[in-house]
Every structure is written in C-alpha cells, then in structure tokens.
Amino acid sequence: MVSWCLKYTKAISEKPAMAKVTRSDSRYARPAVTVDVVVFTLQHGLHVLLVQRKHPPFAGMWALPGGFVEIDEPLEEAARRELREESALQPDYLEQLYAFGDPQRDPRTRVITIAYLALLPHGRQEARAASDAAAASWFPAYAPPPLAFDHGRILDCAIARLRCQLERSALIFELLPPEFTLGELQQAYEQVLNERLDKRNFRRKMLRAGLLADTGRHKAGAYRPARLYRLREEAAVGLRARRVFP
C-alpha cells in the first residue's frame, strides 16, 4: 500500500516563486488573504461541514466555511472567527493545513488562502448557518457536492492529511467521545480510511500500541457488554505511534 503521507506530499506540492520582494516595493500588487476551514466529524462515515454561499461569486454553491483575514488578526483567530460566524461551531482541535495560492483560484482578485483542519466528535455541537451563509450542513467527505473556488482540492488535501496522521499519531481520538469501545474505535478508523479492517488484527495491534487505558466500565449492547477504553493521559495527539491498521 502506498503511504498516505507520500500521497499527501505529492498532492499539495507546488513550486514557490523564488524572487524576493520587500514590503516597501510598491511595484507589486498586494494579494488578499483568506482562511478556509475543513471540519470533519464521524456520522455513519467521514463527513465534512459545508456552507451554502449567499452572495457572489458562486452564490448558491456549497463551500468550506471561511473568509477574509482582518488586517490586525492572527490567522488562527481568523479561522475560528469565520467558522463561528458561518456555522456557530467552535471545535477544540484546529491545525493549519496548507496554503493555496493559484492566481486564478478566486475570480474577484488575487487571493491566497490558508486552510485549516478541524475535528469535532459527532453530536458535540450543532451547526447552524449564520453571517453570509445561506445554509450549513454535513456532507459525506468522499462524495461531496460540487464546491466553489478550489475547495475540492482543499478537501482532498485535508482527507489525505487526516489519513496520513492515522499512521503516526493519536489524532483519531479527537473524533471520539472520552470513553469508547474497541468496536467504536475500529469504526472510526474505517470511516476515515473508507475501507474495512480485520477485526482481530486491528484489536491486537491497537492494544499493543500502548495508547489505551481500560476504564473498568462496560457499555451495554445487543450482545455481551463491551469494555470501555480511554486515551491514556500520557498519550498526546502528536504522539508518534506505530501504524495500527493494515
């Protein structure tokens, strides 16, 4: 299997311009800067939050939540503000994904966007349209509707980044409640990867990875109660871990 980290690197590779320009050089036009946020959750599959644009360009089309960065505003604050204003969501986990700067990506003017990746456990918060969004809704990340601007490419990169992170971190737990069964953990991996995993092999590798702590509690189900686990306190989101799926 080709590593998703390698696919991610290839997917976003661009050749940057090497010419150096000083801020005082007025011969060069100043591009606008925006932020776009890819928010993932799990609900019978990996889903992404989209907002329906109320105004041109691309009025009526679905897009990632985002907008222009204010002149005195840090990038992450801008991402959180735009997400809050357009969907009312305030996820705990937010990381910078990549910068997208195709000169033709926005028909209004030269716009460089900084994309962010956010993760939210299902049902933790309710998305509702606000600001300049006509609607806000969750869509299957692997089968979204046509998207405005270059948001399809941004979404592809976010999926690749998330899949890549599964190989080397405990990021998956940002999509789960504090306590979960091994079955729920496997389902989370399968929804992100969009493929089925062998149950026995997954559980064996996951228990050996040293990430889980048995809570001593059980969750009732159709069959015998399942053990509830949590992420060990010593294990952080950025923890390097062995690959736990085939």
Side-chain angles (χ1 to χ4, degrees):
M1 176 186 294
V2 178
S3 169
W4 272 94
C5 292
L6 179 59
K7 288 186 177 181
Y8 168 73
T9 303
K10 290 182 178 179
I12 64 174
S13 61
E14 290 184 346
K15 294 182 179 180
M18 300 304 293
K20 294 183 179 180
V21 183
T22 61
R23 290 189 177 184
S24 60
D25 196 332
S26 60
R27 293 176 301 167
Y28 296 90
R30 293 171 176 80
V33 179
T34 61
V35 288
D36 289 301
V37 188
V38 184
V39 188
F40 287 128
T41 194
L42 299 177
Q43 71 181 50
H44 306 295
L46 184 66
H47 279 62
V48 63
L49 177 74
L50 299 177
V51 295
Q52 190 174 40
R53 291 182 58 80
K54 187 183 297 184
H55 307 295
F58 305 107
M61 289 191 68
W62 292 96
L64 298 170
F68 288 94
V69 178
E70 296 179 359
I71 193 66
D72 58 350
E73 188 176 35
L75 290 174
E76 183 172 327
E77 288 185 16
R80 291 189 179 278
R81 173 184 56 78
E82 285 290 344
L83 183 59
R84 182 176 61 253
E85 290 178 353
E86 293 194 349
S87 70
L89 294 182
Q90 301 184 62
D92 292 331
Y93 185 86
L94 182 74
E95 69 164 283
Q96 193 173 116
L97 175 64
Y98 196 68
F100 296 82
D102 189 310
Q104 307 303 319
R105 62 175 306 276
D106 192 314
R108 294 170 294 188
T109 186
R110 177 78 163 93
V111 177
I112 296 171
T113 194
I114 311 300
Y116 280 80
L117 169 65
L119 302 177
L120 192 66
H122 175 57
R124 183 73 60 85
Q125 299 176 33
E126 180 182 357
R128 58 180 184 275
S131 184
D132 57 350
S137 188
W138 296 98
F139 288 85
Y142 286 101
L147 300 180
F149 303 103
D150 56 351
H151 289 186
R153 183 182 178 220
I154 297 175
L155 175 58
D156 288 343
C157 285
I159 292 174
R161 165 74 73 85
L162 183 58
R163 294 182 62 138
C164 172
Q165 292 285 61
L166 292 191
E167 301 181 9
R168 59 185 185 183
S169 78
L171 196 59
I172 190 72
F173 298 97
E174 296 291 339
L175 291 165
L176 289 167
E179 297 184 1
F180 47 84
T181 67
L182 283 177
E184 291 169 339
L185 180 58
Q186 180 174 341
Q187 289 175 10
Y189 271 92
E190 290 177 337
Q191 290 178 63
V192 172
L193 295 170
N194 201 30
E195 62 183 70
R196 296 295 298 273
L197 301 176
D198 179 76
K199 180 178 179 180
R200 181 176 298 180
N201 190 41
F202 174 85
R203 295 189 175 212
R204 175 175 55 82
K205 290 187 175 182
M206 203 66 224
L207 291 174
R208 287 182 178 179
L211 299 176
L212 305 181
D214 191 334
T215 66
R217 292 182 287 276
H218 294 76
K219 182 176 183 178
Y223 303 99
R224 64 181 182 179
R227 290 180 180 272
L228 283 169
Y229 293 86
R230 60 172 175 80
L231 180 65
R232 289 174 52 216
E233 294 181 2
E234 312 89 89
V237 169
L239 176 68
R240 297 276 175 175
R242 75 182 68 177
R243 189 173 180 179
V244 296
F245 51 87

